[in-house]
């Protein structure tokens, strides 16, 4: 029986609620498909600040480096929100992304027909949408230096190098070639030098992918196009902050942030697949934490991505995705219903076909 080692970082707020559900769904898939997961649980974010004084203790990073994949819940919350604090939960995400060299963040967006009423978009606008946002994850404003805030002046730096852009754009081309072969590169080239470099890299790579049609688009008009006609898009590739913003916006297409999954990948491969970190797009949702009503489907769908990309278990990933869709019948409050986290998890585990614990 295959056995995988997964670093399990539940984090803060609803993080532990939804990632525990995802973890049990993976265990259920393991029972059905004949694999096991050794979960290596570690503190991260606010919890790690409270326990260790650092959002990303070295032991947590080391455990991630030693694993086949990382499953993360969410970090952050009002308790650690002082803007002047030197130590912040969100530093853990940046430390993990950089420390694990995860330069590409894949954020798929689906318009499930059965959720038409949950989306603010009219059915005929969202129908047929199936797009993938490829967000650059280890560069741009999040990492550029200098970065400081001194009294009345603050500085952030938007810096990219050609190799940094090339590796993420190349992956986006490869993914587009395996889908509907349409790539939209999103930038702000009318203003930003880094965006003009970005465009140059995209154009330089085009001849290598003759089957892929490419369009360049500005981020402001893309923000509008995403809600006016999302079905137009196949793969969108963009820099770190633009991808962060556009992917939360895209949650309106599916109907809830509680459905949005993500996979963060780099170049490293293990004996099972491509090493990656898996975290839902949403955060720790302090407004609903501790009430048992968070939608666990983003975390569960994210776990399916982990089975597919990092653990080499495509049949289990398929089963989890089928179970995800079936569970859309139950609605947590973010989708307008009154189902609980536990009920959705139970529905998923039941459709995976495994024993459901009482
Ligand atoms: P958020 O994503 O936590 O919440 C935004 C809204 O969506 C809230 O109304 C929340 O209740 C709802 N929501 C999110 N996930 C949901 C789910 N699974 N089920 C039902 N409803 C859900 O964003 P925020 O409120 O801006 O940020 C809260 C904290 O989370 C901040 O500290 C932020 O830095 C952090 N954050 C962390 C991550 C991460 O760990 N990957 C991502 C985003 C934000
Ligand atoms: C995300 C989050 C993070 C980001 C924050 C919490 C650092 O919004 O994963 O989308 O901006 O990348
Ligand atoms: Mn975000």
């Amino acid at each position: 029986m295959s056995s995988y080692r997964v670093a399990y970082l539940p984090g803060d707020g609803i993080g532990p609620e939804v990632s525990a559900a995802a973890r049990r769904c993976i265990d259920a898939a393991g029972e059905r498909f004949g694999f096991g997961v050794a979960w290596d649980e570690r503190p991260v974010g606010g919890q790690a600040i409270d326990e260790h004084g650092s959002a990303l203790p070295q032991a947590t990073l080391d455990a991630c480096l030693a694993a086949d994949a990382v499953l993360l819940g969410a970090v952050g919350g009002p308790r650690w929100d002082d803007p002047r604090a030197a130590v912040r939960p969100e530093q853990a995400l940046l430390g993990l992304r950089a420390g694990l060299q995860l330069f590409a963040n894949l954020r798929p967006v689906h318009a499930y027909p059965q959720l038409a009423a949950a989306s603010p978009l009219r059915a005929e606008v969202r129908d047929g949408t199936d797009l993938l946002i490829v967000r650059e994850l280890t560069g741009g404003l999040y990492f550029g230096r200098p970065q400081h805030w001194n009294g009345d002046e603050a500085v952030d730096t938007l810096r990219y190098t050609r190799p940094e852009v090339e590796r993420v754009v190349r992956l986006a081309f490869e993914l587009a070639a395996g889908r509907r072969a349409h790539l939209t590169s999103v930038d702000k080239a009318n203003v930003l030098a880094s965006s003009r470099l970005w465009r140059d890299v995209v154009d330089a790579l085009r001849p290598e992918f003759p089957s892929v049609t490419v369009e360049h688009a500005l981020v402001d008009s893309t923000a509008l196009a995403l809600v006016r006609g999302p079905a137009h898009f196949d793969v969108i590739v963009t820099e770190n902050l633009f991808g962060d913003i556009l992917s939360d916006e895209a949650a309106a297409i599916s109907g809830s942030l509680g459905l949005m999954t993500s996979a963060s990948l780099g170049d490293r491969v293990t004996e099972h697949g491509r090493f990656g970190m898996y975290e839902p797009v949403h955060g720790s949702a302090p407004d609903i934490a501790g009430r048992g009503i968070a939608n666990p489907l983003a975390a569960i769908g994210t776990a399916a991505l982990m089975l597919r990309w990092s653990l080499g278990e495509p049949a289990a990933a398929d089963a989890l995705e089928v179970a995800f869709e079936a569970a859309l019948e139950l609605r947590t409050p973010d989708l307008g219903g009154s189902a609980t986290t536990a009920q959705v998890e139970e529905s998923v585990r039941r459709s995976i076909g495994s024993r459901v614990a009482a």
Side-chain angles (χ1 to χ4, degrees):
M1 184 172 94
S2 311
S3 177
Y4 309 111
R5 192 161 158 184
V6 175
Y8 172 66
L9 281 42
D12 309 316
I14 63 166
E17 302 172 38
V18 298
S19 56
R23 171 177 160 168
R24 287 187 292 263
C25 290
I26 291 213
D27 286 337
E31 275 181 42
R32 159 135 173 233
F33 291 92
F35 63 85
V37 173
W39 300 97
D40 187 4
E41 179 165 350
R42 301 285 172 164
V44 75
Q47 181 207 0
I49 293 176
D50 291 349
E51 292 172 9
H52 303 277
S54 153
L56 180 61
Q58 187 63 43
T60 296
L61 181 59
D62 288 345
C64 295
L65 284 163
D68 296 315
V70 181
L71 187 69
L72 186 138
V75 301
R79 186 180 151 93
W80 307 279
D81 254 359
D82 175 3
R84 290 174 195 274
V87 184
R88 305 175 57 78
E90 291 78 4
Q91 290 163 343
L93 298 179
L94 306 202
L96 285 164
R97 293 166 184 174
L100 303 173
Q101 297 179 289
L102 304 170
F103 58 80
N105 182 224
L106 279 43
R107 298 185 159 187
V109 185
H110 295 284
Y112 300 99
Q114 60 273 50
L115 293 184
S119 169
L121 305 188
R122 288 198 309 277
E124 68 267 26
V125 171
R126 78 191 272 282
D127 271 0
T129 301
D130 172 21
L131 65 87
L132 175 66
I133 296 176
V134 179
R135 169 189 177 191
E136 200 288 329
L137 203 58
T138 50
L141 283 165
Y142 285 67
F143 293 94
R145 295 293 180 267
Q147 181 183 63
H148 57 78
W149 173 25
N150 295 328
D152 290 334
E153 189 199 49
V155 174
D156 290 290
T157 301
L158 177 39
R159 174 178 182 273
Y160 271 109
T161 65
R162 185 173 292 271
E164 282 175 328
V165 179
E166 213 171 78
R167 61 190 180 180
V168 68
V169 169
R170 182 179 295 282
L171 177 62
F173 264 108
E174 288 166 359
L175 291 166
R179 296 170 46 107
R180 298 193 307 280
H182 182 56
L183 181 66
T184 306
S185 173
V186 175
D187 62 36
K188 188 73 187 174
N190 50 349
V191 177
L192 301 174
S194 56
S195 285
R196 294 192 285 274
L197 167 66
W198 189 279
R199 267 191 196 210
D200 193 55
V201 170
V202 171
D203 287 335
L205 284 177
R206 278 167 100 140
E208 288 182 43
F209 300 91
S211 71
V212 178
T213 57
V214 177
E215 69 181 338
H216 295 287
L218 297 172
V219 63
D220 46 358
S221 59
T222 302
L224 175 62
L226 257 183
V227 287
R228 292 224 18 191
H232 164 78
F233 297 99
D234 178 18
V235 175
I236 291 175
V237 64
T238 191
E239 69 91 40
N240 202 342
L241 183 62
F242 297 161
D244 177 46
I245 296 168
L246 293 180
S247 54
D248 265 36
E249 183 193 3
I253 302 165
S254 68
S256 171
L257 209 40
L259 299 172
M260 293 281 293
T261 64
S262 97
S264 302
L265 305 171
D267 280 328
R268 186 156 78 84
V269 290
T270 70
E271 57 180 308
H272 307 297
R274 203 161 173 155
F275 175 81
M277 179 162 81
Y278 298 84
E279 44 172 326
V281 171
H282 66 71
S284 58
D287 52 338
I288 57 164
R291 294 169 51 196
I293 56 165
N295 190 339
L297 286 174
I300 290 168
T302 293
L305 294 176
M306 177 170 85
L307 289 171
R308 191 178 303 288
W309 280 93
S310 291
L311 304 186
E313 293 285 350
D318 288 346
L320 205 49
E321 280 169 3
V322 168
F324 174 111
E325 279 219 52
L328 293 175
E329 226 175 81
L330 291 172
R331 309 266 161 97
T332 40
D334 54 306
L335 292 172
S338 57
T340 64
T341 310
Q343 286 168 335
V344 175
E345 176 198 331
E346 188 181 301
S347 156
V348 170
R349 288 203 281 150
R350 204 168 260 142
S351 23
I352 290 170
S354 171
R355 217 168 6 95
V356 176

